[in-house]
Amino acid sequence: MATMTHDRRAARLGPGIGLAVLSASSFGLSGPLGRGLMEAGWSSAAAVSARVLIAGLVLLPAAVARLRGDWGLLRRNLPLVTAYGLVAVAGCQLAYFNAVARMDVGVALLVEYTAPVAVVVWLWLRHGQRPGRLTVLGAVLALAGLVLVLDLLSGADVDAAGVLWALGAMVGAAVYFVLSARDQDGLPGTALAAGGLLLGGVALLVAGALGAVPLRATTRDVAFDGFTVSWWVPVVVLGVVTAALGYVTGIAATRRLGSRLASFVALTEVLMALVFAWLLLAQAPRPVQLAGGVLTLLGVVTVRLGERTTQTTDDSHVKTT
């Protein structure tokens, strides 16, 4: 029994990490594309609303096909879809935008990316999955790497309200990983992603209509480093690649790896964002950021070693019982 369990986990590991990296890469592209739209006159909320609504519509046919007419399954999982759409999608985005309106983007992003630590703590307190020493060490290394990647050592302004909003974004990101890992209810990942994205997009539009966030869009061309494209090009790529592909592969990865490991692999999104910013915006990473990237990856590897040790211990326990 233990050997079969270990084999199944090993078989899911490789594809799971590959999907997680693909998801992180997709998400990492969203920042530079969104920056281009905002410099062309779009508000951040408008860009995100277009992004998630397009993604939801793209995934909708696949979600309907995967449900195979079992609408009762969707109704039974409505609380999950609602929490995913309102907290993991809309709530996380709104909190992050409010944070960056009050503090440096780097500081807000660092606070949000403490989400893996929150996932570890949640799994420990809620499910008794106590992290091992290697997992804790990996968390420390990964967060230290992010400090270097974001170049925070040079100093940054901190606003109390901004920190609270960033903590809200962190909670939203942690909820994303925890909810994405839930496959015991039988809801296909595409259905969860499509439903959550559509619900989150509508919530953002409602928030804009109520004046909570500004909704502003233009049809001006969008300029990147060395080239200019029509406004709809980054909008479509944001919806199809950075959201539809990013969310569905992220859910698939989390269901293979578990919320804890997947949340740490997702830290590579920061590295990919730096690469895309370099290619599209001519924002080349500095040596300290490259060093931070290596440290972050080392942290992810260390977390994986900690997960393997925990799994081995659990399997040994199952075998003896």
Side-chain angles (χ1 to χ4, degrees):
M1 178 66 70
T3 301
M4 292 179 61
T5 301
H6 177 74
D7 290 343
R8 285 196 297 268
R9 286 170 175 166
R12 292 159 67 92
L13 176 61
I17 290 180
L19 288 168
V21 172
L22 177 59
S23 177
S25 301
S26 302
F27 285 140
L29 178 59
S30 64
L33 290 179
R35 175 67 177 270
L37 280 175
M38 287 185 283
E39 290 184 350
W42 286 61
S43 67
S44 55
V48 172
S49 298
R51 176 193 178 205
V52 298
L53 287 173
I54 290 174
L57 292 174
V58 168
L59 294 177
L60 186 58
V64 172
R66 289 296 305 276
L67 285 172
R68 298 177 181 178
D70 189 0
W71 302 109
L73 177 61
L74 182 61
R75 286 194 297 271
R76 290 192 298 273
N77 285 277
L78 189 57
L80 173 62
V81 176
T82 301
Y84 187 86
L86 296 183
V87 181
V89 177
C92 183
Q93 296 290 337
L94 284 174
Y96 179 68
F97 293 147
N98 279 290
V100 298
R102 294 169 169 82
M103 62 195 303
D104 290 351
V105 173
V107 177
L109 190 59
L110 177 61
V111 174
E112 181 180 356
Y113 271 87
T114 57
V117 178
V119 170
V120 170
V121 173
W122 166 257
L123 293 176
W124 183 8
L125 297 178
R126 181 66 177 83
H127 300 286
Q129 299 180 17
R130 183 174 183 177
R133 294 180 179 178
L134 283 178
T135 300
V136 174
L137 176 60
V140 173
L141 290 175
L143 293 178
L146 284 176
V147 171
L148 297 180
V149 167
L150 299 171
D151 198 16
L152 298 180
L153 296 180
S154 60
D157 295 331
V158 178
D159 178 88
V163 171
L164 291 177
W165 280 115
L167 287 173
M170 178 271 289
V171 171
V175 169
Y176 162 78
F177 290 112
V178 172
L179 294 183
S180 296
R182 292 188 52 144
D183 60 354
Q184 67 269 26
D185 299 322
L187 184 67
T190 50
L192 174 59
L197 286 165
L198 289 173
L199 183 60
V202 171
L204 285 170
L205 291 180
V206 172
L210 294 177
V213 292
L215 288 177
R216 183 180 63 258
T218 72
T219 57
R220 291 203 295 267
D221 289 345
V222 180
F224 294 102
D225 182 42
F227 65 97
T228 302
V229 298
S230 180
W231 65 271
W232 61 266
V233 175
V235 170
V236 170
V237 176
L238 275 174
V240 176
V241 177
T242 75
L245 179 63
Y247 276 100
V248 77
T249 55
I251 292 174
T254 305
R255 291 184 172 183
R256 286 168 171 80
L257 303 176
S259 55
R260 180 160 59 189
L261 178 57
S263 66
F264 278 94
V265 178
L267 293 174
T268 55
E269 177 186 340
V270 179
L271 306 181
M272 298 310 300
L274 286 174
V275 172
F276 287 125
W278 177 30
L279 295 175
L280 296 179
L281 305 175
Q283 297 178 355
R286 292 174 290 279
V288 65
Q289 292 177 308
L290 295 177
V294 173
L295 193 58
T296 299
L297 294 177
L298 180 60
V300 172
V301 172
T302 304
V303 169
R304 173 55 199 158
L305 293 176
E307 291 285 288
R308 181 179 299 173
T309 301
T310 301
Q311 290 174 3
T312 303
T313 302
D314 292 343
D315 290 343
S316 299
H317 177 70
V318 171
K319 186 176 181 179
T320 57
T321 55

